[in-house]
Amino acid sequence: MNSMPLMIDLTDKHIVIVGGGQVATRRATTLITYCPNVHIVSPSLTPALHTLVTEGRITWNEKAFEPSDLEGAYLVVVATNEPEVNTQVKESLPKGVLLNHAADAQAGDVTFPSILQRGRLTMSVSTNGASPKLGAQIISTLSDMYDERYDTYIEFLYQSRQRIKALPIEPSEKQNLLQQILSETYLNEDKQREFMRWLQSQV
């Protein structure tokens, strides 16, 4: 399996998860952060999935899988503990629809990486199904390196970049400013505010 990492906008996509157990719960919990249209097909659900249904964050068909359940799907996640059902889902997959096979990464074309998000900053680690635990361990290490300060710092970098691009100065000077704010000094929110005030004074 030779997977290329991509960032995909799932905002308007329809995602179907077949299965209602712990693995389906983990997949749904990840997906609802990025997509408001997650649908579960399963005779039963974990308490956590029941809560998501009650809150209106996912939808649910309380039934056994049928091929028609995949109509309109952009991504299908098969996460049951029944090999026959998993095989049926894969064989029923409409042409062009992406598949994540939770029990066998090689059987699908999408894997779920371990993810760390700090505001606009997203970091992900994948072992292509070899060891999800290692991926989680690496993300834990990155979480310590890029702590909560990066939530505001990344937003500061974004806002600063927009203002610097608009300054009536030479391109080389803009690049120098963009390089300057990569200093750890600007992890400090007081320094961020000080720099933003200076930028505003240059307009």
Side-chain angles (χ1 to χ4, degrees), residues 18-185:
V18 181
Q22 294 299 332
V23 175
T25 301
R26 291 197 294 272
R27 291 289 190 268
T29 301
T30 297
L31 286 165
I32 60 175
T33 304
Y34 306 95
C35 176
N37 193 7
V38 177
H39 181 67
I40 304 281
V41 177
S42 178
S44 60
L45 296 180
T46 63
L49 285 175
H50 262 296
T51 298
L52 293 178
V53 171
T54 301
E55 294 174 346
R57 302 180 71 188
I58 62 174
T59 55
W60 174 38
N61 263 14
E62 187 178 354
K63 61 186 285 294
F65 170 75
E66 296 176 298
S68 60
D69 294 321
L70 305 184
E71 291 179 7
Y74 176 81
L75 166 66
V76 172
V77 176
V78 56
T80 81
N81 56 6
E82 301 176 43
E84 291 182 2
V85 175
N86 293 346
T87 298
Q88 185 187 9
V89 173
K90 183 175 180 180
E91 292 177 347
S92 304
L93 199 71
K95 186 176 180 180
V97 175
L98 299 173
L99 175 67
N100 170 248
H101 197 302
D104 181 7
Q106 304 295 325
D109 42 26
V110 173
T111 58
F112 278 61
S114 298
I115 299 170
L116 172 65
Q117 196 153 21
R118 298 288 190 222
R120 293 177 180 268
L121 175 65
T122 300
M123 290 179 276
S124 63
V125 176
S126 173
T127 61
N128 280 331
S131 177
K133 289 186 181 297
L134 175 61
Q137 182 176 308
I138 293 171
I139 284 293
S140 178
T141 300
L142 290 172
S143 179
D144 292 335
M145 293 173 61
Y146 298 93
D147 57 30
E148 289 79 3
R149 293 176 299 170
Y150 280 81
D151 287 343
T152 54
Y153 177 54
I154 298 299
E155 185 62 27
F156 159 73
L157 291 179
Y158 173 76
Q159 297 295 338
S160 295
R161 183 169 182 266
Q162 305 314 306
R163 293 175 182 272
I164 289 171
K165 285 165 59 178
L167 290 179
I169 58 177
E170 292 297 318
S172 59
E173 293 179 79
K174 293 180 181 181
Q175 290 303 315
N176 288 337
L177 288 172
L178 291 170
Q179 185 64 42
Q180 175 186 326
I181 57 177
L182 292 180
S183 165
E184 287 192 4
T185 299

